[in-house]
Amino acid sequence: MAAPGAIVAFLEGEGPDGAGRTLFDVLAMNNVALEQTHDFIQWLFPLPEPSRAVPDAPVLTDDQVEAIRVSGMAQIALAAATDRMEAFYRMTHDWLMPNDHNHLRITRIIRSLRLLVGDAQADAFKAAILSRVEATRAPVSARSRGYWATA
């Protein structure tokens, strides 16, 4: 598990993630790197539960949730991360299938935004994803859509 406070430092642009990348390094990744790298999303969009995919990823405490909520820098980082991931999902299409690892990422993003930023931002991201799915008539599974609906 990440050191206490590491996630807040990362989201404030002051410290690295578990792989030594800064927030700015992650936000600058191209779409291929975002697709192929599997240990960044837990840092951009942390949750209070351990990640099954990346066991060393940060697990938020109540104090960290509050610190992120009140940090202007962390809120800016979350907005930038949301914009980057929304652009990724708008520009790529491999995830527009019945099941894909990106569906889990999308659920994480919605849940993290709801916890750390608010319902409006979480719902706006979810609406953008669903709009892309509907516009492309993608066969995304009912199960994935259900997770997004309850995230």
Side-chain angles (χ1 to χ4, degrees):
M1 185 180 343
I7 188 60
V8 176
F10 175 78
L11 288 173
E12 290 181 337
E14 302 278 328
D17 68 5
R21 298 170 296 228
T22 68
L23 169 71
F24 309 103
D25 294 333
V26 174
L27 293 176
M29 292 172 120
N30 66 31
N31 290 340
V32 172
L34 289 178
E35 177 60 32
Q36 294 177 348
T37 307
H38 298 282
D39 63 352
F40 73 89
I41 201 76
Q42 296 83 0
W43 285 84
L44 283 184
F45 297 98
L47 291 172
E49 301 87 30
S51 167
R52 289 183 295 181
V54 182
D56 293 337
V59 177
L60 290 176
T61 65
D62 291 343
D63 288 343
Q64 290 168 330
V65 169
E66 187 57 28
I68 292 166
R69 285 181 181 163
V70 300
S71 168
M73 291 304 296
Q75 291 298 303
I76 290 168
L78 286 164
T82 302
D83 289 347
R84 179 63 188 102
M85 293 310 295
E86 189 175 322
F88 170 76
Y89 291 120
R90 193 173 49 251
M91 292 185 284
T92 62
H93 62 274
D94 290 344
W95 65 278
L96 294 167
M97 58 181 54
N99 296 296
D100 186 76
H101 71 100
N102 280 291
H103 298 185
L104 297 173
R105 288 179 173 181
I106 291 166
T107 303
R108 169 179 279 277
I109 292 167
I110 296 167
R111 288 190 61 229
S112 181
L113 288 173
R114 195 167 308 287
L115 176 66
L116 299 174
V117 183
D119 290 338
Q121 293 83 352
D123 291 341
F125 181 81
K126 177 172 55 176
I129 293 298
L130 290 172
S131 176
R132 175 90 161 104
V133 169
E134 290 165 17
T136 59
R137 296 183 180 180
V140 172
S141 72
R143 183 176 185 181
S144 289
R145 289 176 189 238
Y147 284 128
W148 302 342
T150 59

